[in-house]
Amino acid sequence: MKRVLALFLVLICMFSLVACDKATESVIDDEVSNMSEVDKNVSGETEQTQQAIVESISGTITRIDEDKIYDLTEEEVKIIADVIENGTWNTEGTAECANDCKLIIDERTYYYHSECGTFNDNENNQNLSVTAEEKESINIILAQYITLGLE
């Protein structure tokens, strides 16, 4: 009788260990699955954040004869960058204008003459004359930061 009782206790212990092991595996599988979902969400957010950083553009303005640098807002940079990107550049050299501003937009340097509305890109040896409306819009933005015109 003692042997049967001992054998019975051993079997009960084995069944309980096996049952606990299965439950533990199930819990572990659920946790791994949940972690994978979290990783997917984190990487999705990271990709969106990186894309937002790429899409945001930066810009600064400096008067040619001064050292003070002003940061333009993202909206102001977009307005100016839109003119620069969509304009028709004259690739036969820079204009003979007396530039009064230096703009850096997304690490590209442009010189600008606010009186005639001409951008000079010395690196690529080209110039862009903007329309009267574009000039007015650009000058309104820049005048918030620096004194336009030559002194």
Side-chain angles (χ1 to χ4, degrees), residues 2 8 50 65 74 100 113 115 117 129 146:
K2 288 183 181 179
F8 183 69
Q50 289 173 345
D65 56 358
E74 189 172 339
D100 54 328
H113 184 214
E115 290 180 16
S129 295
I146 62 172

Side-chain angles (χ1 to χ4, degrees), residues 67-150:
D67 293 332
K68 194 157 187 177
I69 299 170
Y70 301 93
D71 290 322
L72 299 169
T73 67
E74 189 172 339
E75 183 179 325
E76 292 167 337
V77 174
K78 284 181 182 178
I79 292 168
I80 296 170
D82 186 52
V83 172
I84 290 172
E85 291 171 9
N86 295 319
T88 303
W89 286 85
N90 178 346
T91 58
E92 296 178 8
T94 58
E96 297 292 325
C97 298
N99 302 307
D100 54 328
C101 307
K102 177 182 174 183
L103 287 141
I104 300 175
I105 298 177
D106 277 346
E107 299 179 13
R108 290 200 56 194
T109 302
Y110 301 96
Y111 295 91
Y112 178 71
H113 184 214
S114 61
E115 290 180 16
C116 70
T118 301
F119 284 99
N120 283 307
D121 179 355
N122 293 348
E123 184 177 324
N124 296 307
N125 198 31
Q126 60 185 0
N127 72 80
L128 170 67
S129 295
V130 299
T131 66
E133 294 165 349
E134 291 169 331
K135 177 181 121 178
E136 182 180 343
S137 175
I138 293 167
N139 286 356
I140 288 170
I141 292 169
L142 301 181
Q144 297 175 74
Y145 300 97
I146 62 172
T147 304
L148 297 177
L150 299 172

